Amino acid sequence: REGMLFSFTNEDEYCFWMKDVNFPIDIIWFNSQKQVVDIKRSATPDSYPETFCPNQAAQYVLEVNAGKSDEWNISINDEISF
């Protein structure tokens, strides 16, 4: 499984956009307890300059290929480990 994990010092509202991204992705936000707090499925390159922000504060953000969050059956409140 491949993706890009962003790890921040504190929980906050970290927004993302699709500048310079050439393919659709899922954006998954996790709180400090590593629970899913929000998911943006299939963010597309043509959505730029729109920004995608979580509904709750997050400390970690995972970007993966579009469709992976559904394929892996990821839902709000799921927990991850790393």
Side-chain angles (χ1 to χ4, degrees):
R1 298 179 180 177
E2 295 181 13
M4 185 178 296
L5 178 66
F6 297 85
S7 177
F8 299 98
T9 306
N10 301 305
E11 286 187 339
D12 206 341
E13 181 185 66
Y14 298 104
C15 300
F16 284 73
W17 60 80
M18 297 296 291
K19 183 177 182 183
D20 300 323
V21 179
N22 299 318
F23 51 91
I25 61 172
D26 292 345
I27 306 169
I28 308 164
W29 288 267
F30 303 89
N31 63 18
S32 60
Q33 288 78 44
K34 300 178 183 168
Q35 294 174 309
V36 176
V37 295
D38 206 355
I39 304 170
K40 171 59 181 165
R41 290 178 165 86
S42 297
T44 59
D46 64 344
S47 66
Y48 179 78
E50 181 180 2
T51 58
F52 304 104
C53 303
N55 292 325
Q56 295 180 33
Q59 187 167 349
Y60 307 98
V61 181
L62 180 63
E63 294 181 346
V64 294
N65 287 344
K68 289 297 182 182
S69 61
D70 285 334
E71 180 182 325
W72 299 333
N73 199 30
I74 296 175
S75 301
I76 302 298
N77 295 321
D78 284 354
E79 294 182 12
I80 62 160
S81 62
F82 54 87

